[in-house]
Amino acid sequence: MKYARMPIEIESPEEYGYDKIKNNLSESSVTDYTLELLGIQIPNLTLLYNEHRGGSQLRNLIVGDSGLNKDDVLITPGAAGALFIISTSQLTPDDHLVVVRPNYATNLETPKTIGCKITYVDLQFESGFQPDLSFIEAAIQPNTKIVSMTCPHNPTGTIMSRDTLDRLVAITKEKNCLLLVDETYRDVHYGSQLPIAASLADHVLSVCSMSKSFGIPGIRLGWVITQNKSLQNTFLAAKEQISISGSVIDEYIAEQVLSRNSSILESTCEEMRLRLEMVASWIEKEDLLEWVRPQGGVVCFPKMKKEPAGVEAISKALRDEST
């Protein structure tokens, strides 16, 4: 694999320097918590190699009452780590991927680095950024290994219906390929919540993390869920070769947060609803903007009704300066 830095990471606020930013409009998670705000004090932990799959109690907290088992969960270094493990273990240059676009960069860039064939499902404003299931079904080839979705979608904040999710599960089952659902924003929603996708069938993979909805990206903790024991063993082997196990400190913090996730998420969702209404009120007054109102997550994807003068020149200058 030949790596190249992703523009989203080169231009990220943490690379630029938080101390230089007054108003951060590029952040994609809730406001970052501190240990003090969370009321967490780190005890005198033994800094050992912990369970390779991740702590049992942590994994139990992740599956909750979903009907899944803790052994269906593998703790990874962030959702990015889970997505990397999935792509590198399941895709080769001879394989094919179907993936929605726009998307979180790792869902696109790691498969490109591997060199597999890719069909993009370009979500359209006119269809409410909902996936075209007929297009997806027609795009699946004999060598298609993965159909990759995000829900809530990043960056539009749209959520597929339960019927759409069920149909995707059925289509991918029939076509004998994996369905990957990046659920990083699943816990911030403004209506009904879909089940964990991996609970619906053993060819479905769910990926999530503590970064976006819980506001603690600094602990670098995510997970992949699958009921497929063979796949889970493959993912575990990949993790063991990358990091052996996770951080004792990171897993302790995640366990403390997830043990009271209901109260934390209730407060977070209420705050995000208020912020959503503020943005909605602003967009209603903007003659140049329209949007598909987000149903989950903390980001949106407005559309310009017409391009104001100077946009092309500004874009060209930014492109030229970055090359």
Side-chain angles (χ1 to χ4, degrees):
M1 294 174 65
K2 295 182 179 179
Y3 294 102
R5 294 194 72 197
M6 296 180 289
I8 190 174
E9 305 302 349
I10 295 172
E11 300 170 3
S12 63
E14 59 268 22
E15 284 293 284
Y16 179 69
Y18 287 115
D19 59 318
K20 301 176 184 176
I21 301 172
K22 182 177 181 181
N23 297 299
N24 185 359
L25 301 180
S26 66
E27 193 52 72
S28 58
S29 63
V30 304
T31 303
D32 296 332
Y33 277 98
T34 64
L35 291 174
E36 184 178 3
L37 284 172
L38 290 167
I40 294 175
Q41 291 186 331
I42 306 296
N44 186 26
L45 298 170
T46 301
L47 303 179
L48 42 64
Y49 290 113
N50 61 354
E51 293 181 61
H52 291 190
R53 289 177 172 81
S56 293
Q57 178 60 19
L58 175 60
R59 290 182 287 128
N60 273 323
L61 287 167
I62 287 169
V63 297
D65 59 359
S66 64
L68 293 158
N69 186 281
K70 67 178 176 64
D71 290 333
D72 299 327
V73 181
L74 176 70
I75 303 301
T76 61
L83 296 171
F84 182 84
I85 285 172
I86 293 167
S87 289
T88 55
S89 69
Q90 300 303 304
L91 296 173
T92 73
D94 295 326
D95 294 318
H96 175 248
L97 167 74
V98 178
V99 59
V100 295
R101 187 173 61 178
N103 208 324
Y104 174 58
T106 301
N107 281 312
L108 305 175
E109 297 302 322
T110 303
K112 282 170 60 179
T113 301
I114 291 168
C116 69
K117 284 70 176 175
I118 302 176
T119 297
Y120 296 106
V121 182
D122 288 317
L123 302 183
Q124 304 295 327
F125 179 87
E126 292 72 21
S127 59
F129 296 121
Q130 292 297 312
D132 184 336
L133 297 188
S134 297
F135 179 89
I136 292 173
E137 186 169 12
I140 297 174
Q141 304 171 15
N143 64 334
T144 301
K145 292 293 292 292
I146 302 174
V147 173
S148 177
M149 312 295 293
T150 65
C151 186
H153 179 251
N154 180 4
T156 67
T158 55
I159 296 178
M160 68 179 87
S161 68
R162 176 62 192 269
D163 179 65
T164 296
L165 177 58
D166 287 341
R167 288 176 64 192
L168 279 168
V169 171
I171 289 169
T172 49
K173 183 72 171 180
E174 180 184 353
K175 299 287 186 177
N176 195 32
C177 57
L178 300 174
L179 174 61
L180 166 61
V181 185
D182 183 338
E183 300 174 340
T184 306
Y185 289 101
R186 179 176 177 271
D187 289 300
V188 175
H189 56 91
Y190 311 114
S192 59
Q193 187 180 41
L194 289 172
I196 297 173
S199 69
L200 303 178
D202 66 1
H203 72 290
V204 184
L205 314 175
S206 289
V207 168
C208 198
S209 81
M210 300 298 296
S211 298
K212 304 301 184 183
S213 298
F214 290 95
I216 47 175
I219 70 169
R220 307 310 306 134
L221 191 141
W223 54 87
V224 54
I225 304 176
T226 176
Q227 298 182 64
N228 186 306
K229 302 306 180 187
S230 177
L231 277 176
Q232 194 63 269
N233 282 334
T234 297
F235 298 156
L236 174 59
K239 177 186 177 181
E240 287 172 331
Q241 293 182 43
I242 293 169
S243 63
I244 303 177
S245 61
S247 161
V248 172
I249 296 173
D250 290 356
E251 291 194 17
Y252 175 82
I253 294 171
E255 188 175 319
Q256 299 310 301
V257 171
L258 289 177
S259 66
R260 46 195 174 95
N261 64 348
S262 296
S263 60
I264 291 174
L265 289 172
E266 182 180 352
S267 175
T268 296
C269 288
E270 180 58 32
E271 174 67 20
M272 291 304 109
R273 288 188 189 96
L274 293 174
R275 296 187 184 202
L276 177 63
E277 292 305 325
M278 290 173 63
V279 176
S281 177
W282 168 64
I283 286 182
E284 287 175 5
K285 300 172 185 176
E286 285 290 334
D287 294 334
L288 290 177
L289 294 179
E290 55 186 338
W291 72 342
V292 175
R293 185 185 174 98
Q295 300 163 289
V298 299
V299 292
C300 62
F301 201 60
K303 176 187 176 185
M304 290 184 179
K305 295 179 182 178
K306 64 178 182 178
E307 188 175 289
V311 168
E312 185 176 348
I314 292 172
S315 298
K316 183 178 184 302
L318 290 173
R319 286 196 305 271
D320 291 345
E321 288 177 10
S322 63
T323 57

